[in-house]
């Protein structure tokens, strides 16, 4: 069984800012060291032997193991796969950069200024038409160099208690081509709640990522920077967030999730909640844990924008070590992202692909889980480019030596839901914090 939830728990960056927290201490000295390191070096492997660093939970390395074994068989290149405990991974990469002993290839949770100028340009792979790599989720620098390609992507999405919908006789969409608006969804969920005596219409992760997704779908940009790097919120964002705060009325949504950290997933799994706004990482868990009712993943609402908040599950990079190793690393990554090979990786490790048109087949026993992954794979290519804004913004901040070490969204909106401040005041406080941490 694919354990996407377990993989998520060990990786940072699932729609939040945690994966950048470790970069907060990066200083000017680190930037100076970058300049000293320069481009290529004598470190690294050879044309027939490379080192590939990853960090993932047991079982989630199955896809990587399969691909390096297949590559050795096809190309005769021995790739040493090193699975490093997550807690020490960023430090190990940092130290390797300082010692000029970086691996040839790595799957990393985030970029780091200390080694970002040691990366190979993967533009030729990203731009290859047959690969169909979604350009919205690439990590690029200001010159257009492709620093990293996601190993996989994650996205926010909606789950419903299918049994309650059927009991109430309320229909719901099953295709992203014919989705509902948020107004239509809330009306349907409220109707189901009233007809079935469910406790709440919706639970909603206490997550800036989930809020961003909803705001995008309502036509807003959430906290967004202009060309000068100054953050603000637009009128559509203010309207969407005011609507969200209003949903927290202990009928449509429980106040306790955003004000005191109650567990929205547990509430949904209890069977007393009509729907749950979360993300793809819930699929594997639900396929095992939900037994008392039928559940389903349904298309994300669009009002009017078809969008989500999409993040990289991991970033695949190549390091510019000696010439033979750099060339061999580029050749391997080019092979890896060929659709036939990348599809196998996604199927084996339970990844949502960054490439479109693959139609991976996952070994889930649950029909609901199979349908959920199918829906996510159909939906992501339809999402507007803003879906990747925050993911790309984090890359830009890292390259400037900055990080959003604490997103104030949860705290400030919790106060608004509690009636301690207005929604507009909460948004202003969030904007001010963004400008202080990563503005300019």
């Amino acid at each position: 069984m694919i354990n996407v939830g377990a993989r998520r728990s060990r990786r940072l960056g699932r729609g939040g800012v945690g994966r950048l927290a470790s970069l907060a201490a990066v200083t000017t000295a680190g930037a100076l060291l970058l300049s000293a390191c320069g481009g290529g070096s004598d470190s690294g492997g050879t044309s027939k032997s490379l080192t590939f660093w990853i960090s993932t939970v047991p079982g989630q390395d199955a896809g990587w193991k399969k691909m390096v074994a297949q590559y050795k068989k096809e190309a005769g290149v021995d790739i040493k796969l090193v699975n490093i405990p997550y807690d020490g991974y960023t430090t190990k990469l940092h130290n390797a950069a300082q010692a000029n002993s970086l691996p040839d290839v790595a799957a990393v949770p985030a970029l780091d200024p200390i080694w970002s100028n040691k990366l190979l340009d993967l533009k030729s792979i990203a731009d290859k038409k047959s690969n169909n790599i979604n350009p919205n989720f690439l990590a690029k620098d200001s010159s257009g160099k492709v620093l990293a390609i996601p190993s996989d992507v994650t996205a926010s999405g909606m789950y419903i208690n299918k049994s309650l919908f059927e009991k109430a006789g309320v229909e719901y969409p099953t295709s992203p081509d014919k989705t509902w608006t948020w107004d239509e969804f809330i009306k349907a969920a409220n109707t189901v709640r009233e007809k079935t005596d469910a406790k709440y219409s919706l639970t909603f992760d206490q997550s800036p990522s989930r809020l961003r997704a909803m705001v995008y779908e309502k036509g807003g940009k959430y906290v967004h920077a202009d060309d000068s790097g100054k953050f603000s919120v637009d009128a559509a964002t203010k309207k969407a967030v005011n609507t969200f705060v209003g949903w927290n009325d202990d009928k449509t949504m429980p106040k306790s999730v955003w004000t005191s950290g109650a567990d929205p997933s547990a509430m949904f799994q209890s069977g007393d909640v009509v729907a749950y706004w979360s993300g793809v990482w819930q699929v594997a868990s639900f396929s095992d844990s939900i037994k008392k009712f039928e559940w389903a993943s349904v298309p994300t609402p669009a009002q009017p924008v078809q969008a989500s908040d999409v993040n990289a599950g991991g970033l695949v990079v190549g390091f510019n070590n000696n010439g033979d190793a750099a060339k061999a690393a580029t050749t391997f990554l080019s092979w890896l992202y060929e659709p036939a090979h990348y599809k196998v990786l996604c199927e084996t490790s339970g990844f949502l692909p960054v490439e479109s048109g693959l139609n991976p087949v996952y070994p889930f026993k649950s029909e609901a889980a199979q349908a959920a992954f199918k829906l996510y794979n159909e939906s992501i290519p339809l999402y507007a480019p803003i879906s990747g804004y925050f993911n790309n913004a984090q890359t830009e901040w890292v390259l400037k030596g900055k990080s959003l070490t604490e997103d104030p969204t949860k705290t400030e909106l919790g106060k608004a839901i509690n009636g301690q401040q207005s929604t507009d005041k909460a948004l202003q406080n969030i904007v001010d914090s963004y400008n202080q941490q990563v503005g300019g």
Side-chain angles (χ1 to χ4, degrees):
M1 178 60 65
I2 300 172
N3 191 353
V4 177
R7 177 164 58 87
R8 177 178 177 257
S9 71
R10 292 292 300 278
R11 286 186 183 176
L12 297 178
R14 295 295 198 189
V17 300
R19 70 179 186 172
L20 295 180
S22 64
L23 302 180
V26 174
T27 63
T28 304
L32 292 173
L33 179 60
L34 268 177
S35 300
C37 288
S41 73
D42 293 330
S43 63
T46 68
S47 61
K48 292 296 182 180
S49 178
L50 299 173
T51 301
F52 186 0
W53 286 7
I54 62 173
S55 182
T56 189
V57 295
Q60 287 301 309
D61 56 358
W64 297 120
K65 287 180 177 178
K66 189 168 188 175
M67 301 320 294
V68 299
Q70 184 176 339
Y71 192 65
K72 183 176 182 179
K73 185 176 180 180
E74 291 186 17
V77 178
D78 183 28
I79 299 179
K80 182 182 180 183
L81 193 65
V82 183
N83 194 350
I84 298 165
Y86 186 84
D87 289 344
Y89 191 33
T90 55
T91 300
K92 192 172 180 66
L93 280 164
H94 197 91
N95 292 341
Q98 292 178 316
N100 211 24
S101 59
L102 285 160
D104 302 299
V105 182
V108 300
L111 302 183
D112 186 334
I114 199 67
W115 44 254
S116 61
N117 82 329
K118 294 279 289 180
L119 296 174
L120 296 171
D121 187 356
L122 306 182
K123 183 176 176 59
S124 62
I125 301 170
D127 290 350
K128 190 175 180 180
K129 290 184 178 180
S130 61
N131 288 346
N132 290 315
I133 294 174
N134 194 318
N136 295 329
F137 314 125
L138 298 171
K140 298 180 180 180
D141 68 10
S142 58
S143 72
K145 177 181 178 180
V146 175
L147 304 173
I149 302 173
S151 58
D152 60 312
V153 296
T154 66
S156 298
M158 185 73 75
Y159 299 91
I160 63 167
N161 184 318
K162 182 180 176 183
S163 297
L164 290 181
F165 267 82
E166 291 179 348
K167 182 179 180 180
V170 175
E171 295 184 350
Y172 56 89
T174 57
S175 169
D177 293 325
K178 297 179 180 179
T179 191
W180 43 14
T181 65
W182 273 99
D183 290 346
E184 291 168 341
F185 159 73
I186 291 294
K187 182 179 179 180
N190 284 341
T191 299
V192 172
R193 171 175 54 83
E194 292 162 1
K195 287 188 174 183
T196 62
D197 293 324
K199 194 168 184 180
Y200 304 113
S201 303
L202 173 68
T203 54
F204 196 118
D205 283 345
Q206 191 194 26
S207 162
S209 178
R210 241 63 72 230
L211 184 69
R212 279 195 298 271
M214 185 274 282
V215 170
Y216 294 162
E217 290 158 354
K218 280 179 164 284
K221 295 181 178 180
Y222 194 53
V223 182
H224 203 277
D226 61 19
D227 290 341
S228 71
K230 184 178 181 180
F231 288 91
S232 64
V233 293
D234 55 15
T237 295
K238 291 181 180 180
K239 183 177 179 180
V241 176
N242 268 292
T243 297
F244 166 75
V245 169
W247 287 342
N248 287 264
D249 59 1
D250 280 333
K251 289 183 180 180
T252 300
M253 284 177 59
K255 290 183 178 181
S256 59
V257 172
W258 276 72
T259 60
S260 55
D263 186 347
S265 180
M267 290 181 181
F268 178 69
Q269 293 183 66
S270 74
D272 294 329
V273 178
V274 176
Y276 177 32
W277 185 234
S278 188
V280 65
W281 48 87
Q282 299 286 358
V283 172
S285 174
F286 287 174
S287 68
D288 288 335
S289 62
I290 296 180
K291 305 296 183 185
K292 63 191 298 184
F293 62 88
E294 289 189 72
W295 62 276
S297 183
V298 294
T300 54
Q303 193 172 334
V305 182
Q306 190 97 348
S308 183
D309 185 54
V310 181
N311 291 275
L315 296 171
V316 175
V317 299
F319 289 102
N320 188 18
N321 294 322
N322 68 72
D324 286 346
K327 183 177 180 180
T330 303
T331 301
F332 166 64
L333 293 178
S334 180
W335 175 91
L336 179 69
Y337 281 98
E338 289 176 11
H341 303 139
Y342 182 63
K343 181 181 179 182
V344 174
L345 173 66
C346 291
E347 291 174 338
T348 309
S349 283
F351 288 168
L352 275 182
V354 71
E355 298 182 10
S356 59
L358 291 186
N359 301 315
V361 178
Y362 302 99
F364 286 117
K365 295 178 181 178
S366 162
E367 290 184 9
Q370 288 280 7
F373 263 71
K374 181 175 184 293
L375 179 64
Y376 275 100
N377 280 316
E378 290 173 347
S379 300
I380 287 175
L382 303 178
Y383 291 152
I386 195 168
S387 302
Y389 168 76
F390 193 80
N391 188 59
N392 295 334
Q394 290 180 108
T395 297
E396 294 177 9
W397 300 335
V398 167
L399 295 177
K400 294 176 182 177
K402 300 179 179 181
S403 66
L404 190 67
T405 57
E406 182 179 359
D407 192 319
T409 295
K410 294 186 289 185
T411 300
E412 296 298 334
L413 288 183
K415 292 178 183 177
I417 291 167
N418 258 341
Q420 296 169 279
Q421 64 184 5
S422 68
T423 303
D424 285 350
K425 176 61 175 175
L427 285 171
Q428 186 58 56
N429 290 342
I430 295 167
V431 167
D432 290 346
S433 180
Y434 270 63
N435 277 322
Q436 181 178 5
Q437 294 183 71
V438 291

